[in-house]
Amino acid sequence: MASVSLQTKTFPKKPVPPGAWDTHHHIFEPHRFPYAKGRHFTPAPATLEDLQAFESAIGVDHVCIAHGLSYGPDCSSLLYYLGLFGGEARGICVLDLESVTDELLDEYHAAGVRSVRLDFNRHKAMDNVDVQAQLIDATSKRLAEWGSHRWSIQIQQPHLEFWSHLREVVHRSSVPIVVDHFALVAGSSYRANDHSTNIQNESYLSEAERVGLETLCETLRNGKLWMKLSAPYRCSNLAPEYNDLRWITRRFVQCNPRRMVWGSDWPHTQRHKDRAGRSTTSVEPFLKIDTRAWIESLSRWMSDDEWHLMWVDNPALLYDYQYLQKQA
């Protein structure tokens, strides 16, 4: 498959618009909610007050809290924090499908939960597409049995070549599938493990990856798949602008601007590859990320309409928030 060059037009810098959402972040308060045994890492504390100060500083009005995987499937902390927002926040839970009841799903929905986060690490599925498919299928089936209520399923996996198989899983799902962190498409600097390479097309990807990327883009165009433009440091070494992600951002946005949402990934936990050999119980410091510089860079890669959709309209639709209807 021949590489495709994208137009690299630069748009004017834009502010974060009123009504903006941060659709991916965490709260870690182990003094209040102890971490689960068997977790794959131990994050440092990141309090609710810290989160609120961060969102205020960048101009975000609405939050969607992603349940931290270090808590396992016990979502007590998520329900607690959602309660403090008085119905104005949304949440992404983790489920134990073997024990979840309709009553628990009803409780989660009433609290503001609208999505299920799949823990591929726990199920040893990160590098196994068959297990990934099984987990998505089983979760979709369980939500369909319950009634789904405009929920979604959120995944994070690093293999572009898997999308040739996952496309069919997405198509048969009863609910939308949301993909974290640019689908973990590695920018050229990340792939080369340096801080200079800035290739603006997919030429550095393998043939299998290029086929997988085209399949991923096709699935985005069809509307059942959503993309989080989040955590660029998981895909690029070119902080704080991450310019080698410009081409893939434009590719995704051009595929379907109505399926893009933004997430900070605050408080910026370590990258998976940097945890190799570390104790899972040693407290892990957070990365230092210049979020304002990243937002400014991203704003120059998107038109005004695309920018507003990503920050405001799309997340309100995805997470079933009646903000738009209230303002009509």
Side-chain angles (χ1 to χ4, degrees), residues 54 233-234 264-270 285-289 291:
F54 168 79
Y233 45 87
R234 302 193 185 281
S264 67
D265 197 37
W266 184 93
H268 315 303
T269 57
Q270 298 278 330
F286 300 121
L287 301 174
K288 297 185 182 301
I289 303 298
T291 302

Side-chain angles (χ1 to χ4, degrees), residues 45-328:
T47 69
L48 173 62
E49 291 75 20
D50 293 337
L51 169 69
Q52 291 172 320
F54 168 79
E55 304 292 9
S56 177
I58 62 175
V60 163
D61 293 326
H62 303 290
V63 296
C64 185
I65 307 167
H67 178 67
L69 298 181
S70 295
Y71 286 115
D74 180 356
C75 292
S76 300
S77 62
L78 177 63
L79 295 180
Y80 172 79
Y81 298 122
L82 287 173
L84 296 181
F85 281 95
E88 291 300 307
R90 288 290 181 258
I92 304 165
C93 71
V94 174
L95 296 179
D96 181 348
L97 292 181
E98 294 182 357
S99 62
V100 66
T101 63
D102 285 359
E103 289 74 20
L104 183 63
L105 292 171
D106 288 341
E107 179 184 0
Y108 284 2
H109 187 81
V113 174
R114 293 297 185 274
S115 190
V116 181
R117 187 180 189 195
L118 300 190
D119 188 349
F120 284 168
N121 276 296
R122 176 188 171 201
H123 294 279
K124 297 180 173 56
M126 196 65 80
D127 301 313
N128 189 321
V129 69
D130 292 325
V131 179
Q132 289 182 16
Q134 291 167 13
L135 289 169
I136 296 170
D137 282 337
T139 305
S140 173
K141 180 181 178 182
R142 184 64 185 88
L143 292 177
E145 291 172 348
W146 167 59
S148 79
H149 296 294
R150 296 186 61 83
W151 281 37
S152 61
I153 294 171
Q154 179 175 305
I155 67 171
Q156 178 185 158
Q157 70 89 17
H159 296 280
L160 265 175
E161 66 274 17
F162 284 5
W163 283 101
S164 296
H165 182 66
L166 291 177
R167 168 179 55 186
E168 301 308 317
V169 181
V170 172
H171 286 171
R172 65 177 175 254
S173 173
S174 65
V175 297
I177 307 300
V178 184
V179 186
D180 285 349
H181 312 332
F182 293 87
L184 294 180
V185 177
S188 53
S189 69
Y190 200 83
R191 176 59 57 85
N193 195 28
D194 67 20
H195 292 78
S196 60
T197 306
N198 179 13
I199 299 174
Q200 288 299 315
N201 57 44
E202 75 277 22
S203 60
Y204 60 93
L205 301 178
S206 70
E207 180 65 20
E209 288 172 325
R210 295 181 204 176
V211 172
L213 176 59
E214 183 52 42
T215 304
L216 172 61
C217 289
E218 176 190 330
T219 312
L220 273 172
R221 292 186 196 102
N222 290 339
K224 282 286 290 287
L225 194 69
W226 293 69
M227 182 66 63
K228 284 191 178 182
L229 303 183
S230 55
Y233 45 87
R234 302 193 185 281
C235 307
S236 170
N237 290 326
L238 301 185
E241 291 87 5
Y242 307 104
N243 283 318
D244 59 333
L245 299 182
R246 183 179 185 177
W247 76 271
I248 191 62
T249 300
R250 287 307 309 159
R251 177 72 61 81
F252 288 155
V253 172
Q254 288 172 348
C255 283
N256 198 335
R258 294 187 178 277
R259 292 296 179 264
M260 303 293 115
V261 294
W262 186 85
S264 67
D265 197 37
W266 184 93
H268 315 303
T269 57
Q270 298 278 330
R271 301 179 299 183
H272 295 290
K273 69 177 185 177
D274 296 330
R275 293 182 180 135
R278 293 183 183 177
S279 168
T280 60
T281 58
S282 298
V283 176
E284 180 181 286
F286 300 121
L287 301 174
K288 297 185 182 301
I289 303 298
D290 189 341
T291 302
R292 288 184 177 181
W294 158 233
I295 290 173
E296 179 176 338
S297 182
L298 182 61
S299 81
R300 297 183 186 277
W301 305 345
M302 301 175 74
S303 70
D304 289 342
D305 289 344
E306 293 165 347
W307 189 244
H308 193 273
L309 283 169
M310 179 190 71
W311 282 105
V312 182
D313 298 355
N314 293 347
L317 175 63
L318 176 61
Y319 295 112
D320 189 31
Y321 186 75
Q322 302 305 312
Y323 171 80
L324 296 178
Q325 286 77 8
K326 288 179 180 179
Q327 300 302 309

